[in-house]
Amino acid sequence: MVVGDVTTGTDVLIIGAGPGGYVAAIRAGQLDLDVTLVEKEAYGGTCLNHGCIPSKALISATDVAHDASEAEAMGIHADPAVDLSAMVGWKDEIVDQLTGGVEKLCKANGVNLVEGRAEFAGENTVRVAHSGEGQGSESIEFEHAIVATGSRPIEVPNFEFDGEHIISSRDALALDEVPESLVVVGAGYIGMELSTVFAKLGTDVTIVEMLDSALPAYEDDVARVVKSRAEEFGIDFHFGEAASEWEESGGGITVMTENEDGEIAEFGAEKALVAVGREPVTDTLNLDAVGLEPSEGGFLDTDDRARTDVEHVFAVGDVAGEPMLAHKGMKEGEVATEVIAGEPAALDYQSVPAAVFTDPEIGTVGMTESEAEEAGFSPVVGEMPMQASGRALTLGESEGFVRVVADDDAGFILGAQIVAPEASEMIAEFGLAIEMGATLEDVAATIHTHPTLGEAVMEAVENAQGKAIHTLNR
């Protein structure tokens, strides 16, 4: 690419190099399309740089320290010293390795990489402002465009992020010292994951949530297991409290909340982490120039081929709507590129897993029992408590259960909910079962390795059939 007033062209122009964008770019290269990928900050997007990967690195590291300090029952007595700065440095090395790998993979597949901020300048043109003083800008003409600009943390009114007193999840993952106390605004998956990290590091954590429960996107009995465990870590919950304002106080801050009766409560802490969700980044794209209008929430509506209302413009990842999950965005990126290349590709969302990396973890896929009923099925449910799992007991992590939902008539597996150690890994078996149209009998007839956590999947399925061995049948 020539920087300046020269206009260049490409078959496929992708804006944003997060999971959806870089996967789309690599797939386009594999399909021999001329592809240009524009990224304004760092390859890998939020997920690799400031979200999925760094948070899981810190979760793993804090688990090592916490588990060692709590292993007296195993005959282990330890009091690990934690150097958060060194831990964050280790996390950054992992991030650098992965983002560097993404860049190399893109180049190896013939992707043209352009650094800068892109916005539409016409139906088939974007203007890219290059980062750095005096770097100028360039125009790129395209036949097809894929919008993959991701999302950003939502700011609560009166709680603008300053990186010091009011921090975002991105800020929290880059702290070099463990805060003595922390008010977390929001008990969704981000707030719960990071609250657990800091509680295990010794921080006094208070969560304020305007709704009446933690993890409101999940079923009550699933969320209840995680909340109960979080309370064991010393996390203090306050529900029905909406954060209204804050002020500096005594070297820290005081967060004020208000309930539905107008009553005010105050919570003191060193910092406040605001984690009330994420919003799509579409307001920087000059969408009018290409004839697109986002929804009220800022999303771009798409069809089952990731195509927007403008036929030659596609949207993938967080900008394309819920669920805002990296793996969903990756699949959308593949499909969008394959459609552009003329391949018979389409999206199928019936088996999109979700995971929450709390302690214990949560993994879900497909329908819940109530959703299956609403869809017209006659569901049958099977469960296996982790307290009956030999492997869970040998890990010292026996909270939770595995639950499967199936159609009682045909036996097809419709969904699953797991709250257990390694639930994020275990849920994949159910995802495959749903995708391939497997029945309860298919999974029950599959011999599972003993002793493993995965046996609980088989036992839950057998429980739905009324023939489980290691738990009482319903």
Side-chain angles (χ1 to χ4, degrees):
M1 292 286 179
V2 178
V3 178
D5 296 329
V6 176
T7 299
T8 56
T10 188
D11 292 338
V12 184
L13 186 283
I14 302 171
I15 306 175
Y22 81 71
V23 168
I26 292 172
R27 187 73 184 109
Q30 292 171 345
L31 293 169
D32 295 323
L33 296 170
D34 185 85
V35 56
T36 299
L37 177 62
V38 183
E39 170 57 47
K40 69 180 179 64
E41 187 174 352
Y43 298 108
T46 294
C47 178
L48 266 65
N49 290 276
H50 312 294
C52 317
I53 297 301
S55 64
K56 304 316 167 281
L58 294 190
I59 287 170
S60 295
T62 53
D63 280 351
V64 170
H66 181 267
D67 291 349
S69 68
E70 297 288 325
E72 290 89 350
M74 297 179 179
I76 299 170
H77 301 270
D79 185 17
V82 174
D83 182 342
L84 184 59
S85 180
M87 186 184 292
V88 169
W90 170 74
K91 175 264 295 182
D92 290 341
E93 290 177 2
I94 296 171
V95 170
D96 290 343
Q97 179 180 341
L98 289 173
T99 55
V102 167
E103 185 174 358
K104 289 177 182 177
L105 283 169
C106 287
K107 291 178 178 178
N109 283 278
V111 179
N112 301 310
L113 299 176
V114 176
E115 296 183 6
R117 188 178 68 81
E119 65 175 34
F120 290 103
E123 291 185 0
N124 293 89
T125 307
V126 296
R127 190 74 176 167
V128 179
H130 296 290
S131 51
E133 186 177 351
Q135 293 300 306
S137 61
E138 66 178 297
S139 294
I140 304 175
E141 294 182 348
F142 59 85
E143 293 186 21
H144 300 88
I146 300 176
V147 178
T149 44
S151 62
R152 62 193 167 213
I154 295 173
E155 285 190 334
V156 172
N158 300 323
F159 285 80
E160 292 76 18
F161 299 123
D162 61 17
E164 180 182 0
H165 300 298
I166 309 300
I167 63 174
S168 66
S169 56
R170 175 172 177 169
D171 299 323
L173 294 170
L175 294 175
D176 55 11
E177 292 184 357
V178 178
E180 291 186 7
S181 55
L182 189 66
V183 170
V184 178
V185 180
Y189 76 94
I190 297 175
M192 290 296 291
E193 286 183 358
L194 292 177
S195 292
T196 302
V197 166
F198 285 104
K200 288 183 176 181
L201 291 174
T203 301
D204 183 6
V205 178
T206 299
I207 296 180
V208 295
E209 165 62 52
M210 66 182 298
L211 301 179
D212 59 4
S213 65
L215 297 165
Y218 295 87
E219 291 178 287
D220 290 344
D221 57 349
V222 171
R224 189 161 51 246
V225 174
V226 175
K227 177 179 176 290
S228 177
R229 183 77 170 130
E231 289 173 330
E232 292 178 14
F233 300 140
I235 296 174
D236 189 20
F237 290 90
H238 295 268
F239 297 110
E241 299 283 351
S244 56
E245 57 184 324
W246 69 278
E247 62 185 17
E248 293 187 47
S249 175
I253 63 171
T254 298
V255 174
M256 278 73 82
T257 64
E258 184 175 349
N259 64 21
E260 61 181 6
D261 296 323
E263 297 171 336
I264 304 297
E266 296 184 352
F267 303 93
E270 184 177 330
K271 300 177 185 294
L273 164 62
V274 178
V276 295
R278 300 182 64 83
E279 61 185 3
V281 178
T282 51
D283 56 347
T284 63
L285 292 168
N286 191 28
L287 292 173
D288 288 344
V290 75
L292 277 175
E293 182 177 350
S295 69
E296 185 176 345
F299 296 104
L300 294 176
D301 294 330
T302 57
D303 61 17
D304 65 353
R305 287 165 174 75
R307 184 182 278 114
T308 67
D309 294 336
V310 176
E311 188 174 0
H312 66 289
V313 179
F314 298 71
V316 303
D318 289 358
V319 296
E322 299 285 358
M324 298 169 99
L325 300 169
H327 44 279
K328 165 184 163 285
M330 290 177 177
K331 178 55 66 176
E332 289 171 339
E334 289 183 11
V335 168
T337 303
E338 289 168 0
V339 170
I340 290 169
E343 301 282 334
L347 293 160
D348 181 358
Y349 292 116
Q350 70 170 337
S351 184
V352 180
V356 182
F357 294 82
T358 44
D359 185 353
E361 293 182 353
I362 296 173
T364 63
V365 68
M367 300 181 187
T368 64
E369 181 180 7
S370 61
E371 288 170 343
E373 289 175 347
E374 290 173 6
F377 293 100
S378 177
V380 60
V381 175
E383 285 191 11
M384 170 65 172
M386 299 311 291
Q387 288 180 343
S389 164
R391 184 62 181 132
L393 290 168
T394 63
L395 290 170
E397 301 179 33
S398 58
E399 296 91 351
F401 54 84
V402 175
R403 178 163 61 219
V404 62
V405 179
D407 177 44
D408 194 22
D409 297 327
F412 289 116
I413 294 175
L414 304 173
Q417 302 83 42
I418 304 176
V419 55
E422 303 299 334
S424 60
E425 303 287 346
M426 295 166 65
I427 199 64
E429 183 173 357
F430 283 122
L432 177 61
I434 295 171
E435 177 62 29
M436 68 181 292
T439 64
L440 292 171
E441 184 58 35
D442 291 325
V443 177
T446 302
I447 299 174
H448 287 63
T449 309
H450 175 77
T452 61
L453 296 171
E455 285 179 295
V457 170
M458 178 183 69
E459 291 279 358
V461 165
E462 291 180 334
N463 182 247
Q465 296 177 303
K467 61 179 186 180
I469 300 298
H470 294 99
T471 187
L472 293 176
N473 290 298
R474 298 186 172 194

